[in-house]
């Protein structure tokens, strides 16, 4: 599951940051929520094709490293039997899409009526199992189900590439070799512990595994044997260990049972969008006039953040601690919103009520790079030019918007780029 640093589980979003392509930072998995569908002109320049002899030489050297870290020779040799360089893994590792979906299109898919209906079926089908998981880990079942739905479509697709081969390919030829070697040693320890066989240890191109897409180091840190059969089996047909492991992960990062992740809100007229992303007591937001979208008063669940992922023209949400816990699984606001909204809809709550600015034309990757270059040239430092819109770039956008009398919502679109071009940045 995702890719960053505190044992991670590259989630869905997490491997991406780690091996070059996703969305998360500290989470179970490693590949992002919106996987590439085809190569693009922005892909990394081709490198000479590796030869079998080169790979065998690398494998001999890596075998020595693995044995020095306690991997038994028989475990290593069984795991690497028939393993070679996987060309598809290299292709996906190098892939840099020129276009990405706007958040409303992502949520249309992630929280589709079909996915909601399947989630409700699973909620009924696995009620007894979920009772036990919820009681043990104190994590609300609907959000565990939502993560399962997003990560593998409730087990329909959790990847088919042998994990040892994908990680060996990345360790040999990929852009994040140290990370891949760390995950590969971890995967070998999992095999040595007897949790799974090499044949059944399959996953995504980036090494995320099982129903809820844990990367190996996150598996070692957070996976549990809830079924009681002596193995932590995240691939089992009933998904019991995978769901329990996901609940354990959320619990370990501070999930509060029964507390909402957030809710859609109405913002008052004249709201200062520069405050989005800031942490304030719920009472402070309420005093500014922030209210539930459907009316009434805000429930007070402590420190809260206002999120306006499509800027001033789109829906707004107030989010509490559990939202930040979801982001530990996959450090992406879009992903965390999808988990929260899908979990809510599985239990009968409505989806997003306010309209999205569907007429907005999203920026391509090259346009985002141009925007960052122009902002930085004008003195609004984005702290890097990479086509990724993070907190530093949003701060720079807000600063520019203020100087032009625009709503400082930090939202990037074609109108913003046109304004930058007109300003001569």
């Amino acid at each position: 599951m995702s890719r960053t640093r505190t044992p991670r589980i590259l989630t869905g979003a997490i491997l991406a940051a780690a091996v070059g392509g996703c969305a998360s930072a500290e989470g179970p998995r490693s590949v992002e929520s919106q996987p590439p569908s085809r190569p693009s002109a922005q892909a990394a320049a081709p490198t000479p094709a590796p030869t079998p002899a080169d790979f065998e030489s690398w494998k001999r050297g890596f075998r020595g490293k693995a044995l020095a870290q306690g991997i038994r020779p028989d475990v290593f040799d069984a795991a690497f039997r028939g393993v070679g360089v996987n060309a598809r893994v290299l292709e996906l590792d190098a892939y840099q899409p020129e276009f990405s979906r706007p958040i409303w299109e992502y949520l249309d898919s992630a929280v589709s009526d079909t996915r909601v209906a399947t989630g409700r079926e699973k909620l009924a089908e696995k009620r007894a199992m979920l009772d036990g998981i919820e009681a043990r880990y104190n994590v609300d079942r609907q959000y565990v189900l939502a993560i399962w739905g997003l990560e593998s479509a409730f087990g329909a697709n959790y990847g088919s590439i042998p994990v040892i081969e994908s990680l060996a390919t990345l360790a040999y030829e990929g852009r994040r070799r140290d990370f891949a070697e760390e995950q590969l040693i971890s995967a070998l320890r999992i095999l040595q512990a007897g949790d799974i066989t090499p044949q059944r240890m399959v996953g995504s191109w980036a090494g995320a595994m099982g129903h809820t897409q844990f990367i190996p180091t996150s598996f070692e840190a957070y996976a549990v044997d809830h079924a009681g059969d002596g193995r932590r089996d995240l691939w089992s047909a009933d998904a019991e260990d995978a769901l329990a492991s996901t609940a354990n992960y959320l619990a370990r990062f501070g999930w509060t049972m029964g507390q909402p992740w957030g809710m859609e809100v109405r913002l008052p007229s004249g709201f200062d969008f520069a405050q989005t992303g800031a942490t304030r007591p719920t009472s402070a937001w309420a005093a500014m006039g922030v209210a539930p979208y459907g009316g009434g008063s805000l429930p007070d669940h402590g420190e809260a953040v206002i999120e306006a992922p499509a800027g001033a023209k789109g829906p707004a949400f107030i989010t509490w601690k559990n939202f930040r816990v979801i982001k530990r699984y996959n450090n992406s606001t879009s992903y965390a919103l999808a988990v929260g909204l899908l979990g809510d809809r599985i239990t009968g709550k409505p989806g997003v009520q306010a309209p999205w600015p569907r007429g907005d034309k999203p920026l391509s990757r090259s346009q985002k790079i141009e925007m960052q270059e122009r902002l930085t040239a004008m003195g609004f430092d984005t702290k890097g030019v990479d086509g990724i819109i993070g907190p530093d770039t949003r701060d720079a956008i807000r600063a520019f918007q203020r100087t032009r009398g625009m709503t400082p919502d930090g939202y990037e679109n074609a109108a913003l780029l046109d304004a930058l071009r007109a300003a001569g940045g």
Side-chain angles (χ1 to χ4, degrees), residues 64-134:
K65 291 183 182 180
L67 269 55
Q69 295 190 48
I71 302 302
R72 298 196 311 270
D74 62 306
V75 170
F76 185 97
D77 295 340
F80 272 82
R81 189 169 296 125
V83 168
V85 176
N86 188 306
R88 180 60 174 159
V89 169
L90 291 178
E91 178 185 14
L92 291 172
D93 183 49
Y95 179 74
Q96 296 181 2
E98 176 64 9
F99 291 94
S100 57
R101 289 180 291 176
I103 184 171
W104 49 89
E105 290 185 8
Y106 169 65
L107 292 177
D108 287 348
S109 173
V111 195
S112 67
D113 290 345
T114 298
R115 203 181 300 259
V116 170
T118 304
R120 290 172 179 170
E121 291 171 5
K122 298 298 183 184
L123 181 65
E125 172 190 323
K126 299 187 179 296
R127 188 168 301 278
M129 177 197 299
L130 293 168
D131 284 345
I133 291 172
E134 193 174 81

Side-chain angles (χ1 to χ4, degrees), residues 38-267:
R38 56 185 173 79
S40 105
Q42 295 296 321
T47 55
T51 68
D54 292 336
F55 181 77
E56 287 301 313
S57 176
W58 170 86
K59 187 171 75 172
R60 286 192 296 272
F62 182 74
R63 187 178 189 273
K65 291 183 182 180
L67 269 55
Q69 295 190 48
I71 302 302
R72 298 196 311 270
D74 62 306
V75 170
F76 185 97
D77 295 340
F80 272 82
R81 189 169 296 125
V83 168
V85 176
N86 188 306
R88 180 60 174 159
V89 169
L90 291 178
E91 178 185 14
L92 291 172
D93 183 49
Y95 179 74
Q96 296 181 2
E98 176 64 9
F99 291 94
S100 57
R101 289 180 291 176
I103 184 171
W104 49 89
E105 290 185 8
Y106 169 65
L107 292 177
D108 287 348
S109 173
V111 195
S112 67
D113 290 345
T114 298
R115 203 181 300 259
V116 170
T118 304
R120 290 172 179 170
E121 291 171 5
K122 298 298 183 184
L123 181 65
E125 172 190 323
K126 299 187 179 296
R127 188 168 301 278
M129 177 197 299
L130 293 168
D131 284 345
I133 291 172
E134 193 174 81
R136 180 169 180 179
Y137 298 103
N138 291 312
V139 173
D140 303 83
R141 65 189 66 194
Q142 63 266 36
Y143 304 112
V144 173
L145 286 172
I147 288 174
W148 186 25
L150 289 177
E151 295 295 347
S152 68
F154 302 102
N157 180 18
Y158 52 68
S160 58
I161 299 175
V163 168
I164 297 300
E165 182 162 281
S166 62
L167 291 174
T169 297
L170 294 169
Y172 167 64
E173 186 68 16
R175 293 177 291 150
R176 301 297 294 268
R177 295 180 182 179
D178 290 345
F179 171 83
E181 283 200 7
E182 175 194 21
Q183 297 304 317
L184 187 50
I185 293 290
S186 178
L188 291 168
R189 285 197 297 264
I190 293 165
L191 292 172
Q192 186 160 286
D195 287 300
I196 194 73
T197 64
Q199 295 73 30
R200 288 188 62 224
M201 185 185 254
V202 295
S204 73
W205 68 268
M209 310 182 301
H211 289 273
T212 52
Q213 296 287 277
F214 277 39
I215 56 169
T217 50
S218 290
F219 181 107
E220 288 195 282
Y222 305 109
V224 297
D225 172 23
H226 191 266
D229 60 4
R231 295 177 296 112
R232 297 168 294 174
D233 188 351
L234 303 194
W235 299 262
S236 64
D238 63 8
E240 181 170 0
D241 284 355
L243 298 180
S245 297
T246 300
N248 182 50
Y249 184 90
L250 297 175
R252 293 276 292 274
F253 283 101
W255 186 272
T256 300
M257 177 82 169
Q259 193 174 102
W261 60 271
M263 63 170 53
E264 189 176 359
V265 293
R266 289 185 186 275
L267 302 178

